[in-house]
Amino acid sequence: MGRVTERRKVIRVRDGAVSTRPDTLVAEEPLEIRLNGRPLAITMRTPGDDFALAAGFLVSEGVLAERGDLRNIVYCAGATGEGGSNTYNVVDVQTASDVLIPEITLERNVYTTSSCGLCGKASLDAVRTTARWPLADTPPVRVTPQLLAGLPDRLRAAQRVFDRTGGLHAAALFTEDGELVDVREDVGRHNAVDKLVGRALQTGDLPLSRSVLLVSGRASFELAQKAVMAGIPVLAAVSAPSSLAVDLATETGLTLVGFLRGASMNVYAGEERVALRAAATQG
């Protein structure tokens, strides 16, 4: 199994002094995801939670929606290693016999980098997948700006590997009351979200209709899509959203918050879930 971190020699220059020392880096390795034995996607990821990552990826693809859709996930032994050794870089997701695979999923093969999980999508229409759980039908969720403001510090405190490497993104699920439910780290923020969603699928907790998803970095269209496909009503990011993320949030009813830093934030869509009037009164 690949390691989460690796050691490399680095030459340090500090105030004119030069020294050599080992440095801890986040590991990045390819993971090939196969669907019922058929190659589907390759993503660059931090090893660990590979089965959850693959399951979460297929939730966002519209293939999996509940635990019963998933028959098994296995590593493919010796798929790329010399001498038949297992590299643990290829997984095969086996679905239940009654699961219908969207034709568009079977028609394409996706290569995703650690910064973008949608590379290889033929068109914008291909990622506007019909959600299993429309956000308009989810139970009412309402959060305060004060609650949102406290989430980044709680996420940062839970990032164990980031403290050692400084090179990982993170995604966390919180309850509407601000309780930390789960946190995952990865070199790619989309992978971190897939790991969260995949774990929820494996434990039978989808849809995540009373959850707040917080991501480090920016909020891309892809992350908004993953939130919608998992039934998550609130997505918050510490950096900027993209224009397509805002468009998708507006179309689907997703609450999208960006630039969440300290007591400051921008609400781009779904403001009805954020108690803005109460915050203005307190201010």
Side-chain angles (χ1 to χ4, degrees), residues 66-153:
E66 56 186 45
R67 182 165 49 182
D69 292 341
L70 181 62
R71 182 161 62 90
N72 197 14
I73 305 179
V74 296
Y75 283 109
C76 298
T80 57
E82 296 181 2
S85 61
N86 199 329
T87 61
Y88 295 100
N89 282 336
V90 182
V91 298
D92 186 19
V93 181
Q94 301 164 7
T95 62
S97 59
D98 59 346
V99 171
L100 297 177
I101 311 300
E103 190 63 29
I104 195 169
T105 297
L106 296 175
E107 289 176 349
R108 63 188 184 83
N109 188 282
V110 186
Y111 174 77
T112 72
T113 69
S114 56
S115 60
C116 169
L118 291 180
C119 305
K121 289 282 190 178
S123 67
L124 189 60
D125 290 341
V127 296
R128 293 187 184 275
T129 314
T130 302
R132 303 287 186 103
W133 306 284
L135 296 181
D137 299 337
T138 59
V141 171
R142 193 166 174 82
V143 295
T144 65
Q146 291 79 11
L147 183 146
L148 292 172
L151 300 186
D153 285 344

Side-chain angles (χ1 to χ4, degrees), residues 44-61:
M44 300 302 297
R45 99 300 189 191
T46 300
D49 295 319
D50 289 338
F51 290 177
L53 190 162
F57 175 81
L58 289 172
V59 170
S60 67
E61 288 290 303

Side-chain angles (χ1 to χ4, degrees), residues 196-212:
L196 284 177
V197 173
R199 283 295 300 154
L201 176 90
Q202 292 172 323
T203 56
D205 291 326
L206 289 184
L208 296 165
S209 55
R210 305 201 71 92
S211 300
V212 176

Side-chain angles (χ1 to χ4, degrees), residues 214-282:
L214 175 66
V215 296
S216 62
R218 60 187 176 86
S220 63
F221 174 89
E222 176 200 18
L223 295 186
Q225 184 211 17
K226 290 180 183 296
V228 170
M229 292 301 293
I232 298 171
V234 181
L235 169 62
V238 300
S239 191
S242 69
S243 61
L244 283 180
V246 175
D247 291 344
L248 182 63
T250 301
E251 292 176 10
T252 60
L254 173 70
T255 296
L256 179 59
V257 178
F259 290 109
L260 182 56
R261 301 169 183 175
S264 300
M265 65 197 73
N266 292 345
V267 181
Y268 292 90
E271 60 273 9
E272 66 276 2
R273 294 193 184 92
V274 185
L276 297 175
R277 291 186 179 180
T281 300
Q282 292 177 6

